[in-house]
Amino acid sequence: MPPTANRQVRPPCAPAPLPFADATRGQAPGPVCVVPVAGVVRALVVTAAALVAAAWIGYLLAYGFPDRSVPGGWRYFRMFDLEGEANAPAWFSSALLLACAALLAVLAAAGRRRRGDGLAWTGLALGFAAMSLDEAAMVHEQLIEPLRNAFGFGGLLWHAWVPVGAAVALAAGIAYARFLWRLPRRTALRFAVAGAVFLSGALALEMVGGAFIEAEGRRNLAYAAVMTLEEVAEMAGVILFLRALLLHLRDEVGPVTLRWGRGPAPRRPLP
């Protein structure tokens, strides 16, 4: 019989062995949930692709039959419009950003315990929580018309919030340059790639889309294609960043224990 035949394999969520000596005070071990990074990323990519496909069914219904001859066509369009509000894609994008904020909060707690970069991780967590709120409530969209009217923006700056977004992104990049340099090289590279992909959609393709709206309007399939590239780049950037966070937690931080209630903290590990 091979030596691994009697080895027991624990499922993704199963009772954990007691890792601390004082955990034996009549307390049953809690479950251990193993997060499969590849599985999580695969599920997110499939969900994003399904939302894009559903959105394009809506665009074909809306722009292929502009006289609204398809019953429920425009209602379906609004439900899956990639740049719409209070619909499925908006919820998905907001949830992605909030998931990143939660992982960053875990890293902030780990950084404080290790006297590491807890403050920097906390700042990132708050920033992504704010981005999640903005995605759900479309706060930055409210800046477009006032800024356009105040400064006469048009063309590539038709989405007049873009200069503000670019300034915020530049300031964040400068503020976090040293933090990024202190990270492990592979984590820093993953963060940089994710940020570049996200900004290519949020800023560069947003500018192209604004110029297209001013020239051709937004109710046509050509603009829908440009806008889809923009939204896909944003979702891809956030998914890449979330993957980078999960890999950093797995490879650099190690297992994370979430303790509920006000029980005593563990004092020393078992030998």
Side-chain angles (χ1 to χ4, degrees), residues 85 90 94 97 127-143 161 198 234:
E85 56 182 294
S94 179
L97 292 165
F128 270 81
M131 290 170 64
S132 174
L133 175 63
D134 174 72
E135 187 68 30
M138 302 188 73
V139 176
H140 70 278
E141 299 286 344
Q142 310 306 317
L143 299 176
W161 72 269
F198 179 82
E234 291 184 22

Side-chain angles (χ1 to χ4, degrees), residues 14-184:
L18 297 178
F20 298 100
D22 64 342
T24 59
R25 300 176 180 176
Q27 297 180 1
V32 172
C33 293
V34 179
V35 178
V37 177
V40 169
V41 173
R42 190 179 304 113
L44 293 175
V45 170
V46 169
T47 303
L51 288 172
V52 171
W56 265 89
I57 293 174
Y59 299 147
L60 292 173
L61 290 175
Y63 304 139
F65 301 91
D67 58 351
R68 304 189 183 189
S69 59
V70 178
W74 279 89
R75 186 177 303 168
Y76 178 93
F77 169 88
R78 288 191 294 270
M79 185 182 302
F80 291 103
D81 181 18
L82 292 175
E83 66 173 357
E85 56 182 294
N87 63 6
W91 171 83
F92 179 71
S93 297
S94 179
L96 277 178
L97 292 165
L98 192 60
C100 289
L103 291 175
L104 288 164
V106 171
L107 285 166
R112 286 193 297 270
R113 285 184 65 88
R114 299 182 179 189
R115 294 183 174 85
D117 291 303
L119 185 60
W121 290 113
T122 300
L124 284 174
L126 293 174
F128 270 81
M131 290 170 64
S132 174
L133 175 63
D134 174 72
E135 187 68 30
M138 302 188 73
V139 176
H140 70 278
E141 299 286 344
Q142 310 306 317
L143 299 176
I144 293 178
E145 190 170 346
L147 289 175
R148 191 190 303 132
N149 293 336
F151 298 101
F153 288 148
L156 292 175
L157 294 182
W158 190 90
H159 290 296
W161 72 269
V162 167
V164 178
V168 171
L170 179 61
I174 294 173
Y176 274 85
R178 293 181 62 186
F179 167 75
L180 196 66
W181 182 258
R182 291 193 299 270
L183 289 174

Side-chain angles (χ1 to χ4, degrees), residues 155-159 162 201-212:
L156 292 175
L157 294 182
W158 190 90
H159 290 296
V162 167
L203 295 179
L205 288 171
E206 181 92 341
M207 294 169 66
V208 174
F212 199 97

